[in-house]
Amino acid sequence: LAKTTQPISMDSYEGQEVNITCSHNNIATNDYITWYQQFPSQGPRFIIQGYKTKVTNEVASLFIPADRKSSTLSLPRVSLSDTAVYYCLVGPGGYQKVTFGIGTKLQVIP
Amino acid sequence: DAGITQSPRHKVTETGTPVTLRCHQTENHRYMYWYRQDPGHGLRLIHYSYGVKDTDKGEVSDGYSVSRSKTEDFLLTLESATSSQTSVYFCAISGGAGGADTQYFGPGTRLTVL
């Protein structure tokens, strides 16, 4: 699986847009990019997944440049409830054995 | 939320005793996983299953065994618990269908080995 690099922590004020970038220089042609969110004392929760360009759902947007060597998770107008750890995963389609890493700890400040 | 339950949710045990954690799903998903989560290490894969009676090791499998005798249940056993196995254990499931596999996680089991 492709190695990913993301910031260990980020702070943001309520109401701001937050962008978390993940680097994955050795992404393979058949790899997808998936983001999970984990609140304290809970298991991770799927947020969004993409292969190329832009994907948007009711929670977030995922921007993937043409070379796919990085991706950016965008959370619009964050609230205190968005305080969580965010994980970026890169892996092939279908079943995969994944490693979650440490993720990015986002702290939203009032 | 996906139908995944873990039992027990909390357990305190002593070094050297056997411990079994249960993961139960009602989604009929083919794939099941056990992870442990420790401060500074993120989630690490212990074992996974790709079908009934089909299991394989993850990155931190030493000291753990698993069994899957039916689709809905995936058991994680610590044959002789050690203090280093104190952790939060998460079970996950996935269907393996289309795109990249999306995993759905259970609520976790907090295990303390004294």
Side-chain angles (χ1 to χ4, degrees):
Chain A
L1 297 175
K3 178 178 169 57
T4 60
T5 302
Q6 52 184 122
I8 293 175
S9 64
M10 295 180 67
D11 292 336
S12 176
Y13 288 102
E14 271 191 298
Q16 289 189 329
E17 178 184 72
V18 171
N19 295 308
I20 305 175
T21 297
C22 179
S23 298
H24 28 80
N25 291 320
N26 60 337
I27 188 169
T29 302
N30 60 342
D31 282 345
Y32 289 76
I33 301 157
T34 310
W35 285 81
Y36 288 80
Q37 173 191 56
Q38 184 179 25
F39 297 116
S41 301
Q42 295 185 25
R45 181 176 73 120
F46 169 83
I47 302 178
I48 198 166
Q49 183 180 94
Y51 182 79
K52 61 181 179 180
T53 62
K54 176 183 174 183
V55 180
T56 297
N57 62 23
E58 65 279 5
V59 177
S61 295
L62 179 59
F63 298 92
I64 305 169
D67 66 4
R68 304 201 326 125
K69 293 184 182 299
S70 67
S71 59
T72 299
L73 174 72
S74 181
L75 305 173
R77 299 181 298 282
V78 295
S79 65
L80 295 177
S81 63
D82 292 314
T83 293
V85 177
Y86 294 82
Y87 299 93
C88 166
L89 280 75
V90 173
Y95 162 75
Q96 54 181 283
K97 189 172 62 171
V98 297
T99 297
F100 274 71
I102 298 175
T104 298
K105 185 173 184 179
L106 172 66
Q107 181 69 52
V108 179
I109 306 164
Chain B
D1 289 342
I4 313 169
T5 57
Q6 293 184 230
S7 58
R9 294 292 314 280
H10 301 272
K11 185 170 182 67
V12 179
T13 191
E14 294 187 350
T15 298
T17 59
V19 176
T20 295
L21 308 183
R22 181 186 185 225
C23 178
H24 179 78
Q25 61 148 326
T26 58
E27 305 297 321
N28 200 35
H29 278 354
R30 177 180 177 184
Y31 304 104
M32 299 186 76
Y33 315 76
W34 276 108
Y35 293 87
R36 61 177 289 173
Q37 186 167 38
D38 306 289
H41 289 278
L43 282 103
R44 293 181 290 175
L45 182 64
I46 304 171
H47 280 280
Y48 61 100
S49 169
Y50 46 95
V52 174
K53 291 187 170 53
D54 291 324
T55 64
D56 205 349
K57 297 178 181 180
E59 61 180 310
V60 289
S61 59
D62 287 348
Y64 301 94
S65 63
V66 290
S67 66
R68 191 170 177 200
S69 59
K70 45 187 178 178
T71 300
E72 57 266 36
D73 289 327
F74 193 32
L75 304 180
L76 177 70
T77 298
L78 291 65
E79 301 290 347
S80 178
T82 67
S83 59
S84 64
Q85 294 175 311
T86 292
S87 187
V88 178
Y89 291 86
F90 288 102
C91 172
I93 65 174
S94 67
D101 206 20
T102 299
Q103 295 188 21
Y104 300 93
F105 285 78
T109 294
R110 183 173 295 276
L111 176 67
T112 301
V113 183
L114 301 176

